[in-house]
Structures are given as C-alpha cells and as structure tokens.
C-alpha cells in the first residue's frame, strides 16, 4: 500500500463519476449517474439493452466526453480526448469484440503495439514468449503453447489473455464490457475467476453485464441503469441476489415508477 492511501482508512477512489450526463443529439443516453471505483473492488454495471452501459464506460475509457457532471481519476478531474490518454492514467478497457489478430501467436497478441525490442530494433521474441507464459500462469492460465494462434483459444481464454495483458501493462482500472455475454456457463466461470484475481491484485474493476447471476458473486458494488438513469446503486451488504435479479427483471420498472410517484407527490402542496 502506498503512503498516500495508508494514512486513510478508506482507499482513495480510482474513478469517481458524479452526476454524469451524456446526450447524442436529442437522445439522452445518460443522466445524473454517479459511481465510485476503489482499488481492489469490482463495480458491476447492469441494465437492459439501451440502458446506457456502453455510453458510461466509453466516457470512463476516453472514447466519449461527458456533457454534464464530473469525472475524476484519483481525485483529479479529467476529460480524456482518447482511450490512449485514459490508458496513460491506468484505465484499460477490454471490449466485447477483442482487438486480436487471430492468426498471430498468443505472445504476439499479448505484446501487440508494445513489442519488446533489443538493440537494432530486433524483437526480443524469447522475452515476450516467456513473459506471456509467466503472466498467464500467474493468473492461473496454463497454456501449453504460447506460439499457437490466439484464434485457436476459446472465447473465455481470449478474454483472460486480454485481462492478463492489461494487468501486465500497468492498468489500475480494468473495464470489461459484457465479457461473459457470448460464453457458456463453464467459460463464463473462467472469466469470472479472472475478474476476482484482478481484484485481488488491487485493481479496480468495472464489469458490465446484463446477467445478475454473473454479477452478484464477484461484485462489491452494483449500479443498475435504466434508460440512462441509475435506478439503484448499492454495495453488496445492502443488496441480496434476489433483489438484484428483481431489479433487472421488471422489478426495475416498479422501482422507477415508485420514484416517479414519490417525486410527483412530494411536489404537491
Ligand atoms: N453513437 C450514438 N448515437 C446516437 N445514439 C446512441 C449512440 N450510442 C448509443 N446511443 C443511444 O443511447 C442509449 C444508450 O445506449 P448504450 O449506452 O449503447 O446502451 P447499452 O450499452 O446499455 O445497451 C440508447 O438509446 C442508444 O440507442
Ligand atoms: Mg452496450
């Protein structure tokens, strides 16, 4: 633990959004959304299609700028112009459609864009192969052969390589956009285990999913979005698995209705 965080009980938030909003022309994609991601914590963002999940993480990842509210990284307000800038602040994103070159070996994909070179610009292949092997092993992935094309790995394994890569290149915050959506039960389980591992290494994780059964076991905090608004933001102690499931299935509509009725009745004289 660094001296900075050791002096306080609660680790400083890596990411903090406060009242963040985003429009696409006339469409309100996100309104008044707040969340906080601390080191060693997994924040799950849930919601149906069109709820605003991707918009939210695109703001955090530097792909879009927010129109309203504040976005802070380690206590400082930011407004990133690009994902590169976000990455320089330790914020790494693993997208649903992984940017991999299927025919290239696993180790080439691991170092893609950040190749290790020796004198005269020659690639240090041995270093990259052994590092890839060891980093994957450290996350419990025992690949027989890091020379095999990454396209031969399962979807779950590819997600795990992407996670290990982000960790190796110094990510503090890992954003995962629906990493388990296209996977079967067993493979989803593998990815969920690596999410827990990333947390144990002290990363802050933002895990986007529409599946409460994937979110609940690994999450520390839960943000449920509905039509661009946060309809629930709770820590695990304040939420049961059943409540989360209900929020995700129509129950969300009831909660929203209750909210609306409350604000209408409170306005009446
Ligand atoms: N580039 C865009 N241009 C216009 N509207 C968009 C764009 N991206 C998303 N939207 C709209 O914003 C809302 C939230 O979308 P999105 O963040 O993709 O939701 P989710 O990821 O939860 O499915 C939706 O109504 C969607 O149609
Ligand atoms: Mg999406």
């Amino acid at each position: 633990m660094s001296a900075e965080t050791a002096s306080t009980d609660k680790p400083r938030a890596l990411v903090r959004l406060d009242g963040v909003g985003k429009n696409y022309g006339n469409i309100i994609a996100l309104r008044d959304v707040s969340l906080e991601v601390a080191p060693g914590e997994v924040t799950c963002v849930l919601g149906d299609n069109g709820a605003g999940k991707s918009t939210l993480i695109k703001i955090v990842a530097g792909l879009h700028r927010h129109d309203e509210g504040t976005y802070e990284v380690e206590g400082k307000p930011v407004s990133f112009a690009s994902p590169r800038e976000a990455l320089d602040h330790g914020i790494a994103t693993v997208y649903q459609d992984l940017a991999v070159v299927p025919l290239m070996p696993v180790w080439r994909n691991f170092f893609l864009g950040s190749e290790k070179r020796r004198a005269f610009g020659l690639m240090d292949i041995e270093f990259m192969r052994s590092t890839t092997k060891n980093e994957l092993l450290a996350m419990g992935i025992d690949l027989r052969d890091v020379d095999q094309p990454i396209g031969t790995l399962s979807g779950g394994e590819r997600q795990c390589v992407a996670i290990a890569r982000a960790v190796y290149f110094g990510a503090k915050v890992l954003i995962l956009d629906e990493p388990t959506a296209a996977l079967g039960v067993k493979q989803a389980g593998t990815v969920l285990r690596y999410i827990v591992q990333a947390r144990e290494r002290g990363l802050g994780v933002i895990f986007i999913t529409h599946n409460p059964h994937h979110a609940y076991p690994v999450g520390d905090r839960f943000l449920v979005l509905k039509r661009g608004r946060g309809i629930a933001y709770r820590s695990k102690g304040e939420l049961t698995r059943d409540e989360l499931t209900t929020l995700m299935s129509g129950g969300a509509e009831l909660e929203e209705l209750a909210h609306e009725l409350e604000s209408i009745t409170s306005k009446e004289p």
Side-chain angles (χ1 to χ4, degrees), residues 48-69:
D48 279 335
N49 283 338
K53 306 184 294 299
S54 292
T55 302
L56 178 69
I57 62 148
K58 281 174 184 165
I59 291 167
V60 178
L63 219 58
H64 290 330
R65 284 181 204 252
H66 52 293
D67 307 321
E68 289 165 15

Side-chain angles (χ1 to χ4, degrees), residues 61-84:
L63 219 58
H64 290 330
R65 284 181 204 252
H66 52 293
D67 307 321
E68 289 165 15
T70 53
Y71 171 15
E72 290 178 1
V73 174
E74 295 183 287
K76 294 189 195 78
V78 292
S79 181
F80 296 131
S82 69
R84 179 73 241 176

Side-chain angles (χ1 to χ4, degrees), residues 150-222:
I150 201 162
T152 62
L153 302 186
S154 70
E157 286 172 327
R158 264 177 280 163
Q159 286 283 347
C160 294
V161 172
I163 294 171
R165 177 181 198 278
V167 172
Y168 175 73
F169 286 104
K172 293 181 197 164
V173 177
L174 191 57
I175 303 172
L176 305 166
D177 191 8
E178 304 255 9
T180 57
L183 304 180
V185 174
K186 196 163 164 238
Q187 282 194 41
T190 310
V191 173
L192 294 176
R193 261 195 295 283
Y194 299 126
I195 291 176
V196 171
Q197 293 219 7
R199 171 178 64 187
E200 276 165 10
R201 284 189 168 203
L203 274 82
V205 181
I206 303 178
F207 171 30
I208 288 88
T209 177
H210 56 258
N211 190 331
H213 303 288
H214 290 174
Y216 197 77
V218 300
D220 298 295
R221 303 185 198 216
F222 304 88

